[in-house]
Amino acid sequence: DEAVRSIRESILLADIDHPIRAVLITSALPREGKSTFATNLAVVNAQQNTKTLLIDADMRRPSAHIRLALENNGGLTDIIRDDKNWKDFLQTVPGVPSLQFLAAGQASQRTYDLLGTTLERILESARREFSLVVIDAPPLLGFAEPLKAASLADGVVVVTSTETHRN
C-alpha cells in the first residue's frame, strides 16, 4: 500500500498547473499487474475521502471486478452497444464508499471500435464529478484501444513486470 501511495502522489503532483484528473493504466503485455495496480491506485485514492472512479476498459480480459469482489454483469459494452447512461452501471465498492466502479461488461468484437467515443463522453462528465478517474486499459501490444484511450486521459502509467512470462 505504501508503494502505491507514493506513486499516487507522484501522479497527482506531476503537473501542478494541469492536475491529473484521469489516468490510464496499461502494460505492454497481459499479466504484468496493470489491473492490480489500477485497482490499488483507485482504492488508495478513495481512502483519502476523495471521489474516485475506476473504469475497467479492458473488455477483452476484464478482471478489476474480481479484485473488488463485484459483478461484471453490465458495463462499458452495454453503454457502447445500447447507448445507455454510464451512471446506471456504477457500483459502489464495499468498504470504500468514495470509490465507484464501472465494469467492462461482456466482451463483444463490435464494441472495441466505439470505445474511444464512449470513453470520451464518460470522461467529460466524470471529470466534473470525481477527483480522479482511473482507467484500467488493455495491454498496448496488439490492441488499438489503449492508444485512443490514452489520448483522452491526462496521464498514462505503463506497468511492467520484471519476470518473464512464458505460455
Side-chain angles (χ1 to χ4, degrees):
D1 281 352
E2 198 57 41
V4 176
R5 283 187 184 89
S6 178
I7 295 170
R8 172 192 172 267
E9 292 304 317
S10 295
I11 292 168
L12 295 179
L13 297 174
D15 189 345
I16 299 296
D17 295 329
H18 301 95
I20 303 279
R21 300 292 303 278
V23 62
L24 180 124
I25 312 299
T26 189
S27 60
L29 301 168
R31 294 185 294 272
E32 290 194 285
K34 68 171 183 58
S35 296
T36 299
F37 178 74
T39 303
N40 288 338
L41 177 63
V43 168
V44 163
N45 193 69
Q47 287 174 336
Q48 303 299 312
N49 290 323
T50 57
K51 287 186 72 175
T52 306
L53 173 63
L54 173 61
I55 300 174
D56 191 347
D58 188 349
M59 296 183 294
R60 296 179 191 274
R61 194 180 295 206
S63 64
H65 67 282
I66 297 166
R67 288 165 176 74
L68 297 171
L70 294 171
E71 298 294 323
N72 187 33
N73 295 333
L76 272 178
T77 55
D78 300 283
I79 297 163
I80 293 168
R81 187 180 51 239
D82 301 326
D83 196 31
K84 297 198 176 202
N85 186 333
W86 66 276
K87 291 182 180 182
D88 293 341
F89 292 92
L90 291 181
Q91 300 177 59
T92 301
V93 177
V96 192
S98 295
L99 178 57
Q100 296 284 301
F101 174 65
L102 178 58
Q106 300 304 312
S108 166
Q109 291 296 332
R110 292 185 280 171
T111 60
Y112 299 125
D113 294 335
L114 301 173
L115 175 63
T117 306
T118 301
L119 191 57
E120 185 173 22
R121 186 173 31 119
I122 291 170
L123 289 177
E124 183 179 312
S125 174
R127 279 184 175 105
R128 291 189 297 265
E129 188 172 334
F130 294 91
S131 295
L132 182 65
V133 179
V134 178
I135 306 160
D136 180 12
L140 289 167
L141 297 179
F143 305 115
E145 301 92 56
L147 299 176
K148 173 61 178 171
S151 71
L152 301 171
D154 302 320
V156 177
V157 174
V158 180
V159 174
T160 185
S161 173
T162 58
E163 297 179 21
T164 303
H165 294 287
R166 295 196 175 132
N167 294 348

